[in-house]
């Protein structure tokens, strides 16, 4: 088994064990390409926030801290940023932050609910889903390489 395969296996086992033990009431977990950390959405005290933990199950750190819900995690291809969506501006918008939680920046600002970000390494871009008020109007959008 390769080192990368072993890392991913350890990552999956660690997250499954933490969730099964209710240590981490979490969802929307994602790992960076190096597999050393897990970013996830965590529910505590009536609010959803973004946290990161080492793949071995230690060193949990809260990355977001605001009264609005922050959901979902998507690591950039180089592991330096995490994209997520948040209700902090009244409707779901896409945000990106450094992997340590600093520099939280809103990327979208429109009446649609922007959610479920996913990075593409080639070309570098961040894709996300948009849901509009009109029934059946869902779109896939992207933010370009300046992210």
């Amino acid at each position: 088994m390769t080192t990368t395969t072993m890392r991913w296996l350890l990552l999956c086992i660690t997250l499954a064990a933490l969730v099964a033990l209710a240590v981490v009431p979490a969802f929307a977990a994602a790992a960076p390409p190096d597999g050393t950390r897990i970013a996830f959405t965590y529910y505590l005290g009536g609010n959803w926030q973004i946290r990161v933990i080492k793949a071995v199950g230690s060193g949990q750190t809260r990355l977001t801290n605001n009264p609005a819900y922050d959901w979902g995690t998507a690591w950039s291809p180089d592991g330096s940023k995490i994209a997520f969506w948040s209700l902090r501006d009244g409707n779901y918008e896409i945000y990106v932050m450094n992997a340590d939680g600093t520099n939280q920046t809103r990327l979208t600002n429109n009446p649609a609910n922007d959610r479920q970000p996913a990075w593409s390494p080639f070309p570098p871009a961040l894709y996300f889903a948009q849901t509009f008020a009109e029934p059946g109007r869902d779109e896939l959008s992207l933010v370009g390489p300046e992210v």
Side-chain angles (χ1 to χ4, degrees), residues 74-92:
W75 288 88
S76 63
D78 66 1
S80 67
K81 296 184 183 294
I82 300 171
F84 62 100
W85 70 98
S86 178
L87 269 173
R88 49 179 91 173
D89 295 309
N91 70 318
Y92 287 117

Side-chain angles (χ1 to χ4, degrees), residues 5-105:
T5 304
M6 290 180 68
R7 275 191 193 152
W8 279 104
L9 182 59
L10 177 61
L11 177 86
C12 292
I13 291 169
T14 301
L15 184 60
L18 290 172
V19 171
L21 295 171
V23 173
V24 181
F27 81 99
D34 67 6
T36 59
R37 297 163 288 171
I38 304 167
F40 57 95
T41 303
Y42 183 89
Y43 185 78
L44 182 65
N47 198 2
W48 292 96
Q49 296 296 314
I50 308 295
R51 292 183 180 233
V52 69
I53 192 169
K54 293 177 184 174
V56 294
S58 64
Q60 186 179 140
T61 304
R62 185 173 185 169
L63 300 182
T64 62
N65 187 9
N66 64 75
Y69 289 175
D70 294 329
W71 299 84
T73 55
W75 288 88
S76 63
D78 66 1
S80 67
K81 296 184 183 294
I82 300 171
F84 62 100
W85 70 98
S86 178
L87 269 173
R88 49 179 91 173
D89 295 309
N91 70 318
Y92 287 117
E93 300 291 351
I94 302 295
Y95 283 75
V96 69
M97 64 182 156
N98 294 336
D100 64 2
T102 60
N103 198 28
Q104 296 179 21
T105 305

